[in-house]
Amino acid sequence: MKIAWKEIKKNKARFMILGSIIFLVSFLTFIISGLSNGLSQDNAAIIKDLPEGHFYMNSDAEETYNASKIDKKLENEILKDHKDAAAFSIQMGFVNDNKDKQHSVAFVAATESKMFEEVGKGEVILDSSLKDEEIKVGDKLTNNQFSGEFEVKGFVDQKKFSHAPVAYINTENYEEIYKVKEKQLLFIPGEDEAPSYSGLQSFSKKEFLNTIPSYSAEQLSLNMITWFLVVISGMLFAIFFYMMNVQKIGLYGILKAIGFKTISLFRMMWYQMIFITLVALGLSVALSQGFGVIAPEGLPFDLTAQTSIQLSVVFIVIGFVGATLSGLQIKKVEPLQAIQQGEV
């Protein structure tokens, strides 16, 4: 430990360069992860906020919720057997305010359930983001396919679908707008194993989210970038310590000659790796959390403490693996041969 610390102090510039690079890579990774989580919420918060359970859509829909239609008789049977279940539909649409300004929304209509907002005929409950567009409780909103008006009864926080604010409406109003009687989806919460129903296909929450085209494509791209940066950090550690070890072959030979074991030399390298990584990650976590506070209000950024801890552990593990692989040459060092090569 003392030798490792002395070497860091002696070669400050080298270790500061590595620490700076690891800081920049990890900071970028945390920011992208926060954006990924934020976009995930912005894209499907209404689904992600539901408890664990199983979603059902028509088998003929080929995993496309828009094309799904649940038979009314089957829906009633399932809701009767599962008191906490709900049938619901989601469709993109728009509402016009009293200034005739159009606002894109995701209309949601559901059977009576504590998991969804209860809305009366001619009423609407909106995501709170629409407050920024000067819509307030009591306002009258219209839709070209709806014969009446919607009165805004309230707002809910963080309820989005496909990056659009959710608008909860009554099932009868939904049927009038979209000219359908059947619901698209059924949701049964808290079931360990999905009950099987003829003509219906079941999905876990994760599986259902991946059937939403915009969600799966968006998350796949961002997750690939995140893990690509993590792999780069491991490669940086491997390259840096490999170059350092090549330069210190003579030193390792001397240390082995005076009785140092190979594992002790590895420990020295691990101490240096852990020190550099912890300092870099500490700064990255602090700044990325600070970014979440000062980020513009409309920017979908959500970096939880749990995500930060998980990514930090991954960085440490990757750094450990990279440094260890680069240090395999230490094991092959022969004291006399190394000393003859000269000491740096």
Side-chain angles (χ1 to χ4, degrees):
M1 180 68 174
K2 290 182 180 179
I3 296 177
W5 180 241
K6 285 180 180 179
E7 188 180 6
I8 290 175
K9 290 197 290 185
K10 181 182 177 181
N11 299 290
K12 291 178 183 176
R14 291 179 182 177
F15 286 96
M16 282 184 67
I17 290 171
L18 176 64
S20 299
I21 295 172
I22 297 302
F23 160 72
L24 291 172
V25 172
S26 59
F27 179 62
L28 182 58
T29 305
F30 285 125
I31 294 297
I32 291 176
S33 180
L35 289 172
S36 176
N37 290 338
L39 286 169
S40 171
Q41 282 294 115
D42 198 60
N43 202 346
I46 189 171
I47 302 299
K48 295 187 74 174
D49 290 346
L50 291 172
E52 289 301 321
H54 295 280
F55 295 82
Y56 293 85
M57 67 173 75
N58 193 297
S59 301
D60 296 333
E62 298 181 349
E63 300 186 3
T64 304
Y65 78 91
N66 273 329
S68 176
K69 291 183 179 181
I70 305 294
D71 180 75
K72 198 70 177 177
K73 183 179 179 182
L74 180 57
E75 173 193 319
N76 292 333
E77 289 176 3
I78 294 174
L79 294 180
K80 183 179 179 181
D81 293 337
H82 300 272
K83 301 298 182 183
D84 53 352
F88 66 100
S89 292
I90 305 175
Q91 282 284 12
M92 305 306 296
F94 65 89
V95 290
N96 299 312
D97 61 20
N98 50 19
K99 297 179 182 177
D100 208 30
K101 182 180 178 181
Q102 195 172 89
H103 305 271
S104 294
V105 295
F107 284 114
V108 177
T111 55
E112 187 175 345
S113 170
K114 61 182 179 181
M115 295 178 291
F116 296 90
E117 298 296 323
E118 188 174 344
V119 188
K121 295 179 185 178
E123 298 176 348
V124 63
I125 295 178
L126 303 169
D127 177 74
S128 58
S129 62
L130 286 171
K131 288 181 180 180
D132 298 332
E133 300 186 30
E134 300 181 356
I135 295 178
K136 56 187 183 296
V137 174
D139 281 359
K140 303 291 185 180
L141 306 178
T142 59
N143 178 279
N144 293 349
Q145 280 74 45
F146 183 52
S147 59
E149 292 182 328
F150 292 113
E151 181 181 355
V152 179
K153 300 301 291 184
F155 294 91
V156 288
D157 292 326
Q158 294 297 318
K159 294 297 181 185
K160 296 283 192 74
F161 186 81
S162 195
H163 302 295
V166 160
Y168 291 99
I169 59 175
N170 186 269
T171 55
E172 291 188 21
N173 298 152
Y174 180 92
E175 290 170 5
E176 180 184 340
I177 294 172
Y178 292 103
K179 309 297 187 292
V180 292
K181 294 291 184 181
E182 301 89 355
K183 299 289 189 302
Q184 295 170 336
L185 301 161
L186 273 164
F187 178 68
I188 302 177
E191 293 286 341
D192 294 330
E193 292 187 10
S196 179
Y197 297 102
S198 177
L200 297 183
Q201 184 176 359
S202 67
F203 303 84
S204 65
K205 184 190 290 189
K206 183 178 180 180
E207 290 170 342
F208 179 71
L209 286 170
N210 286 328
T211 66
I212 304 171
S214 60
Y215 181 90
S216 55
E218 188 176 83
Q219 290 303 300
L220 179 61
S221 302
L222 291 169
N223 287 336
M224 283 183 65
I225 295 172
T226 299
W227 289 109
F228 184 65
L229 289 170
V230 170
V231 171
I232 287 177
S233 71
M235 293 173 64
L236 287 171
F237 272 112
I239 294 168
F240 176 83
F241 280 105
Y242 176 81
M243 297 302 295
M244 290 283 286
N245 291 336
V246 167
Q247 295 174 8
K248 294 188 296 182
I249 290 294
L251 175 61
Y252 289 146
I254 294 172
L255 292 174
K256 278 193 172 185
I258 62 176
F260 267 78
K261 295 181 179 180
T262 301
I263 189 65
S264 298
L265 299 178
F266 269 99
R267 285 197 187 106
M268 181 176 73
M269 186 173 58
W270 291 334
Y271 285 138
Q272 292 170 343
M273 182 278 299
I274 290 173
F275 175 76
I276 295 169
T277 306
L278 289 179
V279 172
L281 288 175
L283 290 171
S284 298
V285 170
L287 288 177
S288 57
Q289 292 293 338
F291 178 80
V293 175
I294 65 172
E297 190 173 340
L299 183 68
F301 185 85
D302 180 26
L303 182 63
T304 63
Q306 182 181 0
T307 301
S308 296
I309 292 170
Q310 289 173 343
L311 281 175
S312 297
V313 171
V314 170
F315 268 109
I316 292 171
V317 171
I318 290 289
F320 178 83
V321 172
T324 302
L325 290 175
S326 71
L328 292 178
Q329 59 190 312
I330 297 174
K331 191 175 180 180
K332 302 175 183 178
V333 171
E334 294 295 336
L336 182 59
Q337 182 184 0
I339 292 170
Q340 287 174 348
Q341 293 180 19
E343 179 187 349
V344 177

